[in-house]
Amino acid sequence: MPLSLYNTLGREMQIFQPIQSGKVGFYGCGPTVYNYAHIGNLRAYVTHDILVRALRRLGYQVTHVMNITDVGHLSGDDDTGEDKMVKSAEERGKTVLEIAAFYTDAFFRDTERLNIIRPTVVCKATEHIQDMIALIQRIEARGYTYRAGGNLYFDITKFPTYGELARLKLEDLKAGARIDVDENKRNPHDFALWFTKSKFENQALTWDSPWGRGYPGWHIECSAMSMKYLGEQFDIHAGGIDHIPIHHTNEIAQSEAATGKKWVNYWVHNEFLVLDKGKMSKSSGKFLTLQSLVDAGYDPLDYRYFLLGGHYRSQLQFSFEALEGARSARRALMDRLYYLAGKCTSLPDPWAGNPGDKGLSDKGQTYHEAFNRAIEEDLSTPRALAELWGLIRDTEIEAARALAIAFDMDQVLGLRLREQLSEPRAEQKLDPAFVKEIEALIAERNAAKKAKNYQRADEIRNMLRDKNIILEDSPQGTSWRLLV
Ligand code: AMP
Ligand code: ZN
């Protein structure tokens, strides 16, 4: 079965067909590195990762490009507000480049912990200013720009299909005035390609350009860097849904104005992760980071598992109760896999069968095919997870076969199933004397409970909790786990 993707451009499911047979050019908008990524941002990167993994498993050679925004992004995507990087640097008493380096490292530490495969090309905006200038010159030469107040703007009325991605109507846009509009703009939806007259007295980084010394508008970096690494036309572009009306709309306008050709064929947008209390905002400083989940005792893969439980095009509500549910489910999954691994002499390799292979017709194959269908129908990870569960719970499937298929499925899910089975469990790495102490305390707690001394029983539970040991009572007795 071919891969179907929901294309925001056209708002419909479409069968994916690459420009060049067997190859995929994919660009996903990367982070603005003025602060830690919040767990909502990380949802976008897990979505990109699932897409890339699914394409590679289907046999495509994928070039994945991600930008790092270290200049030019104002707090409003429509050129309003303050410069995010400069503001952060001032608040922290550092230079913009120090801030960028610090949060870029933090970003990749997070993505690594989430088992997100590093993009083929990671490109920083500040290292591609000349590419941006060259692209802006092409846009200018084709008559799409005007100068005002020292800045260079893109004139959206010159681009008749402006707003097609977001289904915006040019007539409505002309009429719609907004507050805080840059008075140099002829139309409030025009956007800056190059700023020379900075609104900010102490703009940290500026470059010489044909329009004067200044710095680029935010959108141009994605057009310039994607074309540099993927060519003037490429297959897929992704980002969060917030980017549809402004950032991606403007990226399309300026790219197609420069080349006169269609730029990107498929637009993939992930819905937002929301908190029970509402929107999460990186600029307000009030948000959850991956580290805050780790500090609360969760494994980053619990969060990945939680994300896989929702379809990328549905809004997902985050709560610690829901994350707790994902942790228990992931643990139960690993327990079942350890059980299956115990029945094998060695861990099998991922089943190398062609995803569409009809050669082996056993029950394992049925789950495998259903899993592939789920992924190929617009990356349905919730359905894919259900197939993984069906497979490993099915007692009619031989352990080694079930594991081999599960490991193959994990090439898309990215839950590190095989790697974890080959590592000793966290509990096994503890000092044996400490394990003895835990077991003695559990025995004492059981005796206390028998004697109805619940106060002592609770004391012991809390004492162990302080040492990161969690007790779980069940009809079979009390088991313990290390909180990792
Ligand atoms: P930024 O670093 O602010 O440019 O955002 C990085 C990525 O995260 C972009 O693709 C955004 O669209 C996406 N994003 C921002 N907030 C959320 C959220 N709450 N849930 C999912 N994706 C988000
Ligand atoms: Zn972008």
Side-chain angles (χ1 to χ4, degrees):
M1 215 181 91
L3 173 68
S4 298
L5 289 174
Y6 182 84
N7 193 347
T8 308
L9 191 64
R11 302 278 196 283
E12 60 177 10
M13 293 283 278
Q14 292 174 357
I15 291 180
F16 175 68
Q17 274 171 331
I19 295 170
Q20 236 187 308
S21 165
K23 295 194 172 167
V24 178
F26 169 62
Y27 185 88
C29 291
T32 306
V33 283
Y34 68 104
N35 205 337
Y36 293 106
H38 61 56
I39 58 172
N41 300 134
L42 294 171
R43 183 181 196 198
Y45 305 111
V46 169
T47 303
H48 301 181
D49 188 52
I50 296 290
L51 174 59
V52 168
R53 286 168 175 272
L55 288 162
R56 291 199 174 130
R57 183 161 166 277
L58 283 166
Y60 290 108
Q61 190 193 319
V62 182
T63 306
H64 175 188
V65 178
M66 178 195 275
N67 63 310
I68 299 287
T69 299
D70 51 2
V71 66
H73 194 173
L74 309 190
S75 55
D77 289 351
D78 53 354
D79 303 333
T80 57
E82 300 171 86
D83 184 301
K84 294 185 181 193
M85 295 298 303
V86 173
K87 183 166 177 257
S88 173
E90 277 171 0
E91 282 168 4
R92 291 166 174 83
K94 305 261 184 218
T95 66
V96 164
L97 290 181
E98 281 167 348
I99 290 290
F102 179 84
Y103 289 113
T104 304
D105 286 351
F107 174 75
F108 283 113
R109 252 197 323 277
D110 283 352
T111 56
E112 214 164 277
R113 291 193 289 181
L114 285 167
N115 201 26
I116 292 173
I117 299 172
R118 209 179 163 96
T120 328
V121 177
V122 173
C123 37
K124 291 183 192 168
T126 49
E127 291 173 1
H128 293 77
I129 301 294
Q130 295 316 317
D131 300 289
M132 296 186 217
I133 291 175
L135 189 65
I136 299 171
Q137 283 179 306
R138 287 175 71 184
I139 302 168
E140 188 178 39
R142 290 171 61 96
Y144 289 91
T145 62
Y146 61 92
R147 290 186 198 215
N151 302 324
L152 187 75
Y153 293 94
F154 186 95
D155 181 348
I156 65 162
T157 60
K158 299 267 168 60
F159 190 75
T161 56
Y162 183 84
E164 190 187 1
L165 181 77
R167 305 215 151 156
L168 307 171
K169 289 215 178 67
L170 210 50
E171 299 79 60
D172 302 346
L173 293 179
K174 274 182 221 159
R178 290 176 297 176
I179 0 141
D180 196 16
V181 163
D182 175 345
E183 58 199 24
N184 295 314
K185 292 184 181 180
R186 292 180 189 163
N187 181 309
H189 293 269
D190 289 347
F191 55 94
L193 293 166
W194 189 266
F195 287 107
T196 58
K197 291 267 163 47
S198 170
K199 306 192 250 191
F200 320 109
E201 277 170 28
N202 40 2
Q203 179 58 32
L205 300 172
T206 53
W207 292 265
D208 286 326
S209 85
W211 314 281
R213 198 166 172 86
Y215 61 101
W218 174 42
H219 316 294
I220 196 71
E221 66 177 84
C222 289
S223 296
M225 295 194 277
S226 63
M227 287 198 218
K228 173 165 182 162
Y229 296 105
L230 298 171
E232 290 186 356
Q233 291 179 294
F234 61 92
D235 300 295
I236 312 176
H237 192 314
I241 45 152
D242 55 324
H243 285 341
I244 300 171
I246 302 176
H247 184 48
H248 289 166
T249 288
N250 293 349
E251 282 186 27
I252 293 173
Q254 65 199 5
S255 303
E256 299 190 355
T259 65
K261 293 186 280 203
K262 184 172 183 185
W263 182 44
V264 170
N265 287 337
Y266 301 88
W267 285 87
V268 172
H269 289 102
N270 65 276
E271 247 293 354
F272 263 37
L273 177 91
V274 292
L275 296 179
D276 9 14
K277 288 170 216 73
K279 237 187 110 176
M280 205 170 338
S281 149
K282 195 150 103 174
S283 48
S284 73
K286 287 193 201 102
F287 56 79
L288 286 169
T289 58
L290 188 65
Q291 186 58 41
S292 64
L293 305 189
V294 171
D295 293 342
Y298 293 93
D299 186 307
L301 291 179
D302 295 333
Y303 182 58
R304 184 172 176 111
Y305 189 98
F306 164 77
L307 290 176
L308 297 182
H311 187 261
Y312 79 93
R313 281 200 295 117
S314 302
Q315 202 176 74
L316 190 58
Q317 190 159 31
F318 178 84
S319 66
F320 276 97
E321 292 73 43
L323 184 61
E324 188 60 44
R327 167 158 69 181
S328 306
R330 199 178 69 85
R331 280 187 172 160
L333 178 80
M334 289 314 301
D335 282 347
R336 180 74 193 161
L337 293 176
Y338 276 113
Y339 167 80
L340 292 173
K343 296 182 155 213
C344 306
T345 42
S346 63
L347 284 183
D349 287 328
W351 183 46
N354 175 341
D357 194 354
K358 296 272 178 252
L360 282 161
S361 57
D362 62 4
K363 265 192 110 184
Q365 170 96 1
T366 311
Y367 290 108
H368 191 256
E369 279 172 10
F371 177 93
N372 292 342
R373 263 200 309 281
I375 292 299
E376 286 157 29
E377 285 170 15
D378 199 28
L379 311 174
S380 179
T381 51
R383 273 171 54 205
L385 270 185
E387 296 305 330
L388 169 65
W389 271 105
L391 167 83
I392 61 165
R393 274 207 193 112
D394 195 321
T395 50
E396 286 174 35
I397 303 169
E398 193 211 336
R401 173 103 178 114
L403 282 179
I405 296 174
F407 296 158
D408 176 59
M409 292 173 172
D410 197 38
Q411 292 182 4
V412 180
L413 302 175
L415 292 168
R416 299 186 67 244
L417 302 182
R418 194 174 191 282
E419 294 91 317
Q420 286 179 87
L421 292 186
S422 21
E423 291 160 4
R425 298 189 84 161
E427 287 84 356
Q428 290 169 328
K429 293 187 220 157
L430 292 175
D431 178 354
F434 181 45
V435 174
K436 265 199 178 146
E437 192 189 320
I438 297 167
E439 280 162 1
L441 281 167
I442 292 176
E444 191 193 333
R445 177 170 170 268
N446 286 341
K449 280 208 299 194
K450 231 181 199 166
K452 299 203 167 15
N453 184 354
Y454 297 113
Q455 193 185 341
R456 178 66 187 150
D458 285 348
E459 254 171 41
I460 293 173
R461 175 189 279 280
N462 294 339
M463 221 156 77
L464 286 170
R465 173 69 186 76
D466 290 344
K467 295 180 177 181
N468 280 342
I469 301 298
I470 302 296
L471 300 188
E472 282 164 6
D473 295 317
S474 78
Q476 285 77 41
T478 303
S479 62
W480 60 273
R481 282 181 185 282
L482 178 68
L483 201 60
V484 280

